[in-house]
Amino acid sequence: MNYKTYSMHRNRILDFFIRSTKGNALPLVLMLVMVVMLIGGAVAYSTMQMYNITRDGYHDQLAYIAAENVLEKSMANLQKVITVAGYPGSRGVYFSGNVDDFLNNLVTAINADAAIQRSYTVKVHDTLNEAEVSVDFQRFGQNYEYTGSMISFWMQIEATADMVDESYSSYGKKAVAVKKFDIPVYTRFTLNGAIYTLGDLLITSGKPIATDVSTIHGDVFVFGTGLDKTNRMQQYYTGGVCSTRDSILHVEGSIFTRNLVRAGTFDDSDPDPVTGGNSSNIIVDGDVVAQGIQVFGTNDNIVVIGDAFTFDDVEMNGADSIIAINGNYFGLNPGDGSRHDTSSAMVNMAPVYGTAQQYQESRIVVNGNIFANGVTFRVDNSSGENVAGHKMESVSMTWRDKDGSGYKPLQIAESIGPNDQAGYDYALMESTEEKNGFSVLWKVDWEYDDSTGGIKDDWALWKDWLEEIRDVADFQSNTGFLPPDPLEVQGYCHYGVAANNTFYRMDKSDMDDSQIKGAGPFDINVVEKVPGLGEDYKGMLDLDHSNWSVYTDSWGDHGISGAMKKLMGHLEALVHVFSQKKVMDDGSYEYTNHKVGTSTLTEFNRLKSLLADTTLFPNDPLNRCVVRYDVGDATTSYLNQELEMLDMNNDDVPPVGDPDALPDGDTTDDYLDYYFLVVNLDPDNTVIITDKFNGIIFSMGKVILEQGAEVHGAIIAAGRGFDDDDEGTGVKGSAADVDGDKTRLPRVVIGESPGDLDTVSNFTNWDYAAIEINNGGDIYYPGGEPLLSKLKENINVEFDTGMTDRQIDLFHIFNVEVAP
Amino acid sequence: MRVIKENVSKSVRDGTDIHGTGEKASNAMTETDKTLKDLPVKDLSEKEYSCVFDLTYDSMLEGVQKYWITIKSNSSGEVLTKYSIEVYAGGT
């Protein structure tokens, strides 16, 4: 030990001088003693100084280590206390949607929380005194990640140690650590839309699409079937809002889904439209926030009249098909550079799948600006597995006719290896040879997309717009279209955008040289639907791009890329209403349900427990307007037929003694004067709507709207649950069920060996659909307050047995404020 | 002192060998006397130090592992110092 070494050294020196004085005369002795005292004193002083410095340095080191030990203890303490669901609320900190306010209040609460240890006594040395260490917490930087149910932020922990011993004291020795904490935030469910699901929303054949469509008036919130892990090439096994087989879904609102908004079947099995095949279509008046927007079949189309936001891609795979976005496109996710399905970009793959004209004429169309945080990837399957190869442009694909043999994708035309990034970069960015981006049409001057008088005012013009697009789309080219003014080509991306028969190069260092310019002023209206956000956030992506390199910096937080990442967090709140899907470090997806506070109760099942309360809501459709299906009651419930049998108005037969009264001419329609609460607790029971129905349906099982169905109200439904038992059928219980730590949220597991669990067929059979609408079936959501008021204002009727009690107050359960 | 602390802390957090020793810190838990003895000291620049150290597992509380480090001049030599370190295995 250092100080002991110096201590012994000092003693040897003193011994030497004392021995040297032995046997001298007194003066000499006195002089020597004085000298000895001087020298000895000087040496001793010097030695003591060294001893002290070293000893103090050593002592200080121990104090620092004490501070560091406390940092570790404090991190453990914080992890244990503050990351527990319900912690913020238990300390009076509630999340209203403003993340900064929430975090600042949270850190203040943490510093004042008696449950969080702020001072420690640490024994850091075997013989020296203990150190007293205090800790203090501050938010580190202003960054955060918000997933809808979780806010992650960085906190700085500062430990200050005082260590006092007899001879040595160390004061104020500080150690600092920064750690990321994930804070679960509980957001109580608020009824804001026409549909909420745990499971897919399926639109399929019903009435002929030439004469009818399915309309959903109101917003749609779908948590559908997802793949079990990222990087699966079989994206067509992802659910969400799914239009298949002769159907048209018109959403008079917006769609929010953690899965796909998709049209078409799982492969190219759709018959050719020329021969009378199927056509699947989705038209959205508002915005789409989704994992992706994809088309798979033949003559399948998706039209987004508002803006489109994706956590992954917009991808065209279908023949003779169109994805048309009338507003701006925001590809939110920068990805991690290795998983292609977490990097937001836009790709038209259809021309790669076949040289037939149908494939070559499929188009992705964007009328607004394009902001793409991610890139497309080349698929490298040289190892036998599909992995991400070199990166490609954010909006692809670029084609080249290298030798007059016809257009091929650039990487094929130039024989670029799957991992030859430099080769692709040169071919795309440096080579002056032709680059043909025919498969995307961007900011073309269409007749039907005008801001006034266009499809924004009349959604039915979607067919005319698609026809106009088809007129322009030619074989590996586009003809007769008016490209945008070069200054109007605006947005942000990596490499560039392949569109309009050309390639628009993105230059992040110089906007003058960039063919993609900074965007003019614009608003994002969808943020107003995020709880707690509002008008102030509408301009959060409308950044100053006068400093182009800062604006286009994809690493920092001050540019458009960082702002889109932040927006992605906010929008996750809209796609994770009851549950969430999160990408884990190992490439898997983690599926979890939102829990209520510190309990194991999920938010969905909290609603279930309230609505299933037989005291509050007894199964008594006649007297209470409450229909309830318990487990085992039935496997199929035709709701309208059951309600038609009720003499709700007490007028099927003229009352005795009132000969003037006429009997009811239609004894089946009384129930249409009332709004019902339907609670289906049995996942094995499918509730089927065949006619008009007013009210709210809450179901643990599937709900089907047949082609004549017309729901005036809202549906909250969980489809069948996922089962990971190798011996099982892939389906068990309800998607809302929780079995210990196991969730039954629907997933597609693709078996890789015989005997492996495989739930592909469950998905393709739509076993996990929560709501199925046959073309022609409609849902009209009048708004939360008007709908709940209708339920609350049901009219009571006098029977011989007494007055009914039909007024149902659901305002509190559905967290809707009564209108003033 | 600092070099040993950092090497042991990293081993606890990552489950890797203590740099330059071929031993994981967690191996101390399975020793009869909970001690790994006479471990060499080497920093990340591969500079070797003349002293050795014993690593003694003490306890774990709420994910924080506590060890005592005894530094000696050599394997049979004088004890130069003995101090404790604590590491939260939940990560930093």
Side-chain angles (χ1 to χ4, degrees):
Chain A
M1 185 179 287
N2 288 339
Y3 71 87
K4 285 185 178 176
T5 303
Y6 284 108
S7 177
M8 291 165 66
H9 182 203
R10 181 194 62 168
N11 292 338
R12 281 199 300 272
I13 292 170
L14 289 173
D15 287 350
F16 168 77
F17 280 106
I18 291 168
R19 277 196 300 272
S20 299
T21 61
K22 190 176 178 181
N24 288 296
L26 181 61
L28 181 60
V29 169
L30 286 173
M31 188 182 73
L32 275 174
V33 168
M34 190 170 66
V35 171
V36 167
M37 289 302 289
L38 285 172
I39 296 173
V43 171
Y45 174 78
S46 173
T47 306
M48 283 300 291
Q49 281 293 93
M50 286 180 66
Y51 174 84
N52 273 335
I53 290 168
T54 307
R55 175 69 191 216
D56 279 353
Y58 172 76
H59 200 266
D60 286 350
Q61 283 293 314
L62 287 171
Y64 281 121
I65 288 175
E68 290 170 12
N69 285 354
V70 165
L71 285 181
E72 306 278 340
K73 288 171 179 285
S74 185
M75 282 188 278
N77 181 224
L78 288 167
Q79 185 70 29
K80 181 184 173 192
V81 176
I82 72 172
T83 63
V84 172
Y87 171 78
S90 70
R91 301 304 187 274
V93 178
Y94 297 98
F95 180 57
S96 61
N98 188 313
V99 179
D100 279 316
D101 286 352
F102 172 79
L103 289 176
N104 292 336
N105 292 335
L106 180 66
V107 173
T108 300
I110 289 170
N111 273 306
D113 189 348
I116 294 172
Q117 200 167 341
R118 303 281 311 283
S119 61
Y120 293 80
T121 301
V122 179
K123 182 80 173 165
V124 72
H125 188 269
D126 56 340
T127 59
L128 296 175
N129 287 341
E130 296 163 325
E132 299 296 331
V133 187
S134 61
V135 287
D136 183 63
F137 312 110
Q138 299 174 50
R139 204 174 151 192
F140 181 78
Q142 295 301 303
N143 289 343
Y144 59 80
E145 295 167 1
Y146 173 42
T147 67
S149 65
M150 188 84 74
I151 295 174
S152 303
F153 77 112
W154 285 260
M155 190 150 68
Q156 175 178 302
I157 308 159
E158 182 178 285
T160 307
D162 294 339
M163 187 168 162
V164 180
D165 281 279
E166 262 183 45
S167 305
Y168 311 104
S169 299
S170 300
Y171 292 103
K173 303 306 175 195
K174 291 181 186 297
V176 175
V178 174
K179 178 171 166 53
K180 182 183 177 187
F181 291 94
D182 298 326
I183 309 296
V185 286
Y186 168 59
T187 308
R188 192 175 157 201
F189 173 76
T190 301
L191 182 65
N192 279 322
I195 280 180
Y196 292 86
T197 73
L198 293 178
D200 301 314
L201 168 61
L202 170 65
I203 318 298
T204 188
S205 57
K207 289 183 180 175
I209 59 173
T211 58
D212 211 339
V213 306
S214 284
T215 300
I216 299 177
H217 177 86
D219 290 339
V220 171
F221 299 84
V222 168
F223 191 92
T225 308
L227 288 162
D228 57 334
K229 57 185 178 184
T230 61
N231 251 353
R232 291 281 196 197
M233 295 306 295
Q234 300 93 334
Q235 295 287 302
Y236 40 85
Y237 294 146
T238 302
V241 179
C242 314
S243 171
T244 68
R245 304 205 182 280
D246 289 316
S247 62
I248 298 173
L249 170 64
H250 173 216
V251 177
E252 295 177 347
S254 295
I255 294 178
F256 305 104
T257 178
R258 192 61 176 84
N259 307 86
L260 299 182
V261 174
R262 55 174 290 166
T265 49
F266 310 99
D267 45 36
D268 291 338
S269 65
D270 279 8
D272 189 312
V274 176
T275 62
N278 305 305
S279 178
S280 313
N281 307 275
I282 298 175
I283 302 96
V284 186
D285 288 0
D287 303 317
V288 168
V289 179
Q291 169 86 1
I293 300 171
Q294 294 204 28
V295 163
F296 295 102
T298 300
N299 190 21
D300 298 321
N301 308 290
I302 296 175
V303 178
V304 182
I305 298 175
D307 294 332
F309 305 81
T310 62
F311 304 108
D312 186 21
D313 295 341
V314 170
E315 186 169 329
M316 168 62 74
N317 296 290
D320 194 29
S321 299
I322 292 171
I323 297 172
I325 300 166
N326 187 51
N328 297 315
Y329 169 64
F330 301 92
L332 301 169
N333 200 339
D336 64 357
S338 60
R339 299 187 185 108
H340 66 79
D341 48 356
T342 58
S343 175
S344 297
M346 187 175 271
V347 57
N348 186 344
M349 292 294 292
V352 180
Y353 291 148
T355 54
Q357 187 133 353
Q358 284 179 307
Y359 287 98
Q360 301 298 318
E361 293 185 354
S362 284
R363 291 291 180 272
I364 296 174
V365 180
V366 181
N367 284 346
N369 301 321
I370 292 177
F371 300 85
N373 233 348
V375 292
T376 51
F377 285 89
R378 174 91 173 268
V379 174
D380 175 14
N381 53 14
S382 55
S383 65
E385 287 188 26
N386 290 314
V387 295
H390 66 71
K391 296 175 183 176
M392 297 167 58
E393 59 274 20
S394 291
V395 178
S396 69
M397 148 173 322
T398 304
W399 296 70
R400 177 172 289 167
D401 184 1
K402 181 73 176 173
D403 51 13
S405 63
Y407 281 103
K408 297 184 179 66
L410 182 60
Q411 66 275 18
I412 305 299
E414 293 292 346
S415 302
I416 296 166
N419 289 296
D420 183 4
Q421 188 68 59
Y424 192 80
D425 289 356
Y426 177 81
L428 185 68
M429 305 297 283
E430 305 295 336
S431 166
T432 56
E433 289 188 61
E434 185 203 12
K435 295 157 198 142
N436 184 358
F438 67 84
S439 55
V440 175
L441 289 161
W442 186 18
K443 285 202 171 183
V444 169
D445 185 14
W446 306 105
E447 192 175 338
Y448 297 99
D449 68 329
D450 294 341
S451 57
T452 55
I455 56 169
K456 275 199 162 185
D457 293 330
D458 181 4
W459 75 277
L461 291 174
W462 72 279
K463 283 185 182 173
D464 301 279
W465 187 25
L466 295 195
E467 195 172 318
E468 191 182 7
I469 293 168
R470 286 196 165 92
D471 284 345
V472 165
D474 208 342
F475 186 85
Q476 297 185 337
S477 184
N478 299 287
T479 54
F481 71 101
L482 190 60
D485 182 297
L487 293 176
E488 289 299 312
V489 177
Q490 297 173 351
Y492 165 81
C493 64
H494 304 282
Y495 295 104
V497 170
N500 303 344
N501 294 353
T502 187
F503 175 72
Y504 297 101
R505 189 171 60 87
M506 180 82 196
D507 187 330
K508 294 181 184 173
S509 60
D510 188 336
M511 190 168 84
D512 291 337
D513 288 343
S514 180
Q515 291 175 295
I516 297 174
K517 311 296 184 186
F522 65 95
D523 282 341
I524 305 166
N525 295 317
V526 75
V527 295
E528 290 192 302
K529 302 204 172 186
V530 179
L533 302 190
E535 187 81 18
D536 293 346
Y537 285 76
K538 288 171 81 170
M540 67 179 290
L541 294 189
D542 186 18
L543 307 180
D544 175 17
H545 48 71
S546 58
N547 190 334
W548 186 242
S549 58
V550 171
Y551 179 83
T552 59
D553 175 21
S554 57
W555 299 103
D557 298 314
H558 302 292
I560 187 72
S561 177
M564 279 201 286
K565 279 169 63 180
K566 191 162 275 194
L567 175 64
M568 179 169 68
H570 290 302
L571 295 184
E572 286 198 43
L574 295 172
V575 299
H576 290 153
V577 177
F578 291 111
S579 305
Q580 77 169 37
K581 181 174 77 169
K582 185 179 174 187
V583 179
M584 307 303 285
D585 290 340
D586 65 359
S588 64
Y589 282 120
E590 180 190 65
Y591 291 80
T592 52
N593 296 297
H594 295 346
K595 302 252 175 44
V596 180
T598 56
S599 74
T600 56
L601 183 67
T602 67
E603 179 62 2
F604 193 95
N605 288 335
R606 182 185 70 85
L607 293 181
K608 173 191 163 189
S609 66
L610 291 169
L611 297 171
D613 186 325
T614 52
T615 305
L616 292 172
F617 307 111
N619 179 17
D620 191 348
L622 181 69
N623 290 311
R624 303 293 300 271
C625 282
V626 174
V627 180
R628 172 186 165 119
Y629 301 111
D630 284 307
V631 174
D633 281 356
T635 56
T636 308
S637 296
Y638 284 89
L639 182 63
N640 296 89
Q641 291 177 18
E642 292 180 26
L643 296 179
E644 282 171 1
M645 297 169 67
L646 303 173
D647 182 14
M648 298 291 290
N649 292 338
N650 194 17
D651 59 0
D652 283 3
V653 178
V656 176
D658 189 358
D660 295 335
L662 295 172
D664 191 347
D666 182 352
T667 59
T668 68
D669 64 352
D670 283 11
Y671 74 96
L672 294 176
D673 292 339
Y674 303 91
Y675 277 71
F676 288 80
L677 170 66
V678 177
V679 182
N680 173 29
L681 300 174
D682 187 354
D684 291 328
N685 184 17
T686 299
V687 178
I688 299 176
I689 318 295
T690 54
D691 204 341
K692 192 174 175 187
F693 166 80
N694 302 324
I696 294 177
I697 299 171
F698 179 90
S699 179
M700 297 295 282
K702 188 176 183 179
V703 177
I704 296 177
L705 276 68
E706 294 193 344
Q707 59 186 30
E710 189 178 310
V711 172
H712 292 259
I715 302 175
I716 303 168
R720 297 302 311 275
F722 164 79
D723 183 19
D724 65 356
D725 184 350
D726 289 347
E727 305 297 317
T729 62
V731 176
K732 189 173 184 180
S734 168
D737 285 346
V738 178
D739 186 0
D741 289 336
K742 189 184 291 184
T743 162
R744 298 209 175 280
L745 294 168
R747 273 153 285 170
V748 168
V749 176
I750 302 173
E752 290 165 4
S753 305
D756 285 356
L757 176 69
D758 190 305
T759 60
V760 169
S761 62
N762 296 114
F763 173 63
T764 57
N765 291 332
W766 298 110
D767 289 344
Y768 302 127
I771 300 176
E772 175 185 321
I773 303 178
N774 303 147
N775 194 57
D778 303 313
I779 302 175
Y780 298 100
Y781 171 69
E785 196 276 334
L787 173 59
L788 299 187
S789 292
K790 290 281 190 183
L791 282 148
K792 195 175 178 182
E793 293 165 4
N794 275 331
I795 297 167
N796 289 307
V797 173
E798 176 75 44
F799 284 90
D800 291 345
T801 52
M803 187 69 85
T804 60
D805 183 14
R806 293 172 175 166
Q807 294 172 346
I808 306 168
D809 188 349
L810 297 171
F811 278 93
H812 180 67
I813 290 177
F814 289 124
N815 200 25
V816 173
E817 290 184 15
V818 182
Chain B
M1 208 156 69
R2 172 65 50 185
V3 169
I4 298 170
K5 178 185 187 299
E6 295 305 327
N7 286 350
V8 173
S9 297
K10 187 172 189 314
S11 174
V12 174
R13 288 194 188 102
D14 301 343
T16 53
D17 288 348
I18 303 167
H19 185 67
T21 70
E23 293 273 9
K24 291 181 174 60
S26 57
N27 292 347
M29 298 178 188
T30 58
E31 296 290 326
T32 309
D33 59 356
K34 307 285 186 195
T35 301
L36 297 172
K37 294 188 176 65
D38 301 330
L39 300 171
V41 183
K42 188 189 277 189
D43 67 20
L44 294 180
S45 70
E46 304 303 323
K47 178 185 172 187
E48 294 183 24
Y49 294 78
S50 59
C51 56
V52 297
F53 71 101
D54 294 348
L55 180 69
T56 304
Y57 173 73
D58 182 298
S59 58
M60 180 160 71
L61 183 64
E62 294 180 349
V64 179
Q65 296 181 22
K66 182 174 183 179
Y67 292 85
W68 284 94
I69 293 169
T70 306
I71 305 178
K72 302 181 290 188
S73 55
N74 55 58
S75 59
S76 58
E78 176 189 12
V79 171
L80 301 178
T81 188
K82 183 177 180 180
Y83 63 100
S84 71
I85 67 164
E86 296 183 65
V87 185
Y88 176 44
T92 54

